Amino acid sequence: MQQLIHFFQKFKYFLFFLFLEIIALAFTFNNLSFHKSKFVNSANTITGGLYSQATNISDYFDLKSKNKILAEENNRLKNLLEKSNSIIYNIDSTVVDTVKLNQKYTYTSAKIIKNSYASQFNILTINRGKNQGIQKEMAVINSKGIIGITDVVNARFSTIQSILNRNSKINARLKNSNYFGSLGWDGKNYNIVQLSDLPRQAPLKIGDTIETGGMSTIFPEGILIGIISEINSENSADNKVNITLFNDMSNLNYVNIIKNLEKIEIQSLEN
Amino acid sequence: MNKQYKFVLLFFFLLFLQVFILNNILFLGYINPYLYIIFVFYFPLKDNRFPFLFYSFLLGFFIDFFLDTGGIHAFSILFIAYLRLFFIKIYFRKIEADYSFFNLNDEPFGKVFNYIVTLTVIHHFIYFSFANFSFQNLSNVLTNTFFSSIFTLILYFLGTKIFSKTE
């Protein structure tokens, strides 16, 4: 007993050090593995509140470019609206006025209050949470393409697992054919992601557009991702191609969060 | 001002400086200074090391909260906080009786330089190894450690030159 007390006396700092290090390691491993309850994140009231204060200030510096992006998106959507109107009125002139009949997705707008693209496991924070109807695993996009999937959701803020995260896997396909693969990131360049597991017979050309496939309950079909920038000609098992993103992931501000209204139905069917 | 309040202020100043300013620099797309570790250099040496280890851990942990990095910052800053005494013994040849008089400003620059560089490089290496979290991209870890250490050290030595009270 005497010796035991002596031992603790002698190594008390080392033991305390070890104790704190183990706590830190536990949080690290917990954070790096996807689909686990997380405690240390920037979506809580204090950090989220401070981040949104900080973006309130820094937002003024790029109002001009944001306005331009919004105007471009408006332009694109107006064009789409014109097209769809003409189709509707040609086929059927009755207007169905039932809320959410046949509607598959709802959109919520949000603002990114913390962006990150230089690390290997990038996580973003947005200023929407449970109070605004955000749930875990909802798609996050902006006008130029996909951004990520919501992860930890708190009352007013949530975190997004960016596509620039080595844990991310997203179903994607070629726009001109229905060959699909899975989209991941190797952690090297924040403009370039990798599409792997494409079938060998899929015709690939540099410059082909890649969009999300309809195989997951998270992303709707046909959201733009990027274009093929490099094709791996050697024979590798996973048949990887490099995709240059349409989005500039280092400059994000307003995003849309997509809720799939049929998600629960599809999941209950699949399980 | 009371010395304890000064360190509470330093704690939050370094936390917010790191999270809101230094972490957004991203020079050449990936080089950031991690200046919050000067908390370890400035915290006074005392016989009882529990508060020092605990506050260092807490600073790293708060930064982890903001940056969504799990416990990596906490791990790496605690590591150099624990090693600090060992390097003080090696570089400055101090014994326990000297601890309460120890002050970095009174030591020769060469020794201080070695001491700061060693701790900074150790911290950055541990941080980037964990942030990478695989054996791929090992060259990335080394280049990141090298350039970020240089950035941090330049900021630190410039800062101490500019803000030091001895004219």
Side-chain angles (χ1 to χ4, degrees):
Chain A
M1 194 64 199
Q2 194 77 33
Q3 278 186 332
L4 198 67
I5 293 171
H6 183 71
F7 172 80
F8 277 119
Q9 273 295 325
K10 199 176 172 191
F11 293 106
K12 59 182 175 184
Y13 295 120
F14 182 70
L15 289 172
F16 186 59
F17 163 72
L18 221 59
F19 170 67
L20 291 180
E21 287 291 47
I22 288 168
I23 294 177
L25 269 186
F27 282 122
T28 309
F29 283 99
N30 207 359
N31 197 49
L32 287 172
S33 54
F34 193 39
H35 285 287
K36 267 193 180 170
S37 68
K38 290 174 188 176
F39 170 64
V40 185
N41 60 62
S42 59
N44 61 54
T45 319
I46 298 169
T47 52
L50 285 170
Y51 268 129
S52 57
Q53 288 297 325
T55 39
N56 268 347
I57 297 165
S58 60
D59 268 355
Y60 285 101
F61 296 110
D62 50 15
L63 275 181
K64 227 177 188 172
S65 60
K66 294 296 172 240
N67 276 338
K68 204 177 145 223
I69 292 171
L70 276 181
E72 278 168 6
E73 194 191 3
N74 265 341
N75 194 21
R76 196 172 59 88
L77 292 178
K78 271 180 186 156
N79 282 334
L80 271 179
L81 198 66
E82 284 299 318
K83 271 185 207 159
S84 64
N85 273 348
S86 62
I87 294 169
I88 288 172
Y89 292 126
N90 282 343
I91 296 170
D92 188 359
S93 59
T94 45
V95 178
V96 183
D97 190 32
T98 312
V99 176
K100 287 180 185 169
L101 177 82
N102 292 334
Q103 186 179 350
K104 240 181 119 177
Y105 303 102
T106 57
Y107 291 71
T108 314
S109 76
K111 198 165 85 181
I112 298 223
I113 56 174
K114 183 211 130 199
N115 192 5
S116 143
Y117 54 91
S119 111
Q120 300 281 312
F121 299 90
N122 290 299
I123 291 168
L124 323 176
T125 313
I126 53 169
N127 64 349
R128 293 278 187 272
K130 265 192 204 109
N131 294 353
Q132 286 84 23
I134 309 294
Q135 291 158 3
K136 207 176 168 177
E137 291 188 6
M138 282 161 73
V140 183
I141 63 164
N142 71 359
S143 58
K144 288 182 177 168
I146 63 169
I147 288 170
I149 298 168
T150 56
D151 190 6
V152 180
V153 179
N154 284 350
R156 285 168 53 215
F157 302 99
S158 8
T159 62
I160 300 171
Q161 192 186 46
S162 165
I163 44 168
L164 302 183
N165 187 313
R166 291 222 313 260
N167 288 327
S168 282
K169 278 271 170 287
I170 288 163
N171 177 273
R173 69 171 184 212
L174 294 165
K175 197 177 182 181
N176 52 12
S177 59
N178 275 330
Y179 292 111
F180 65 90
S182 78
L183 194 77
W185 189 51
D186 63 357
K188 280 177 187 151
N189 186 335
Y190 67 83
N191 281 323
I192 294 173
V193 293
Q194 281 72 32
L195 183 64
S196 55
D197 303 326
L198 273 170
R200 298 225 165 263
Q201 67 271 28
L204 296 173
K205 245 183 262 154
I206 286 178
D208 278 357
T209 307
I210 303 293
E211 58 180 23
T212 55
M215 307 284 176
S216 77
T217 51
I218 299 173
F219 280 100
E221 249 183 293
I223 290 173
L224 297 177
I225 296 172
I227 54 171
I228 297 180
S229 61
E230 195 188 328
I231 298 169
N232 203 352
S233 53
E234 64 203 72
N235 277 331
S236 62
D238 49 3
N239 198 17
K240 230 176 221 175
V241 289
N242 281 348
I243 313 289
T244 304
L245 291 171
F246 289 128
N247 249 330
D248 179 4
M249 294 298 283
S250 64
N251 182 20
L252 299 174
N253 199 348
Y254 286 94
V255 294
N256 300 104
I257 299 146
I258 305 176
K259 183 182 186 181
N260 189 344
L261 298 171
E262 295 172 351
K263 185 175 182 175
I264 296 167
E265 208 178 320
I266 293 172
Q267 278 176 347
S268 69
L269 191 67
E270 281 174 350
N271 289 335
Chain B
M1 205 182 347
N2 196 329
K3 212 158 188 191
Q4 260 166 348
Y5 290 121
K6 225 167 107 182
F7 278 97
V8 174
L9 270 184
L10 181 72
F11 184 94
F12 285 105
F13 172 71
L14 288 176
L15 173 65
F16 294 134
L17 182 77
Q18 182 63 46
V19 171
F20 289 115
I21 299 170
L22 298 182
N23 229 68
N24 295 320
I25 290 181
L26 291 171
F27 182 59
L28 297 182
Y30 64 95
I31 304 169
N32 262 348
Y34 293 93
L35 203 64
Y36 69 94
I37 54 169
I38 65 169
F39 186 78
V40 173
F41 308 148
Y42 278 124
F43 204 90
L45 274 179
K46 281 190 191 132
D47 278 341
N48 185 2
R49 288 160 67 199
F50 285 124
F52 169 59
L53 289 177
F54 184 67
Y55 292 138
S56 306
F57 173 78
L58 216 60
L59 177 61
F61 200 53
F62 282 178
I63 287 175
D64 283 324
F65 259 105
F66 277 96
L67 302 183
D68 292 302
T69 41
I72 306 176
H73 284 288
F75 186 94
S76 37
I77 194 176
L78 186 64
F79 199 84
I80 60 163
Y82 185 75
L83 283 186
R84 180 178 81 152
L85 199 63
F86 173 72
F87 284 111
I88 284 178
K89 276 180 189 158
I90 288 182
Y91 286 128
F92 302 108
R93 310 209 173 282
K94 297 286 175 192
I95 53 166
E96 263 176 61
D98 301 327
Y99 286 174
S100 50
F101 305 107
F102 181 75
N103 188 346
L104 275 184
N105 294 334
D106 304 337
E107 299 295 328
F109 180 76
K111 287 179 178 177
V112 174
F113 184 79
N114 287 345
Y115 167 66
I116 303 277
V117 169
T118 317
L119 287 187
T120 310
V121 171
I122 291 175
H123 170 272
H124 284 34
F125 181 69
I126 294 173
Y127 169 69
F128 284 115
S129 317
F130 269 98
N132 188 40
F133 210 69
S134 84
F135 290 110
Q136 297 167 353
N137 305 344
L138 205 62
S139 60
N140 252 358
V141 175
L142 296 178
T143 47
N144 265 335
T145 308
F146 183 70
F147 289 118
S148 289
S149 301
I150 289 177
F151 202 168
T152 309
L153 290 168
I154 288 174
L155 276 189
Y156 173 73
F157 287 115
L158 275 183
T160 45
K161 258 276 177 295
I162 293 167
F163 295 113
S164 65
K165 282 164 193 153
T166 50
E167 289 296 312

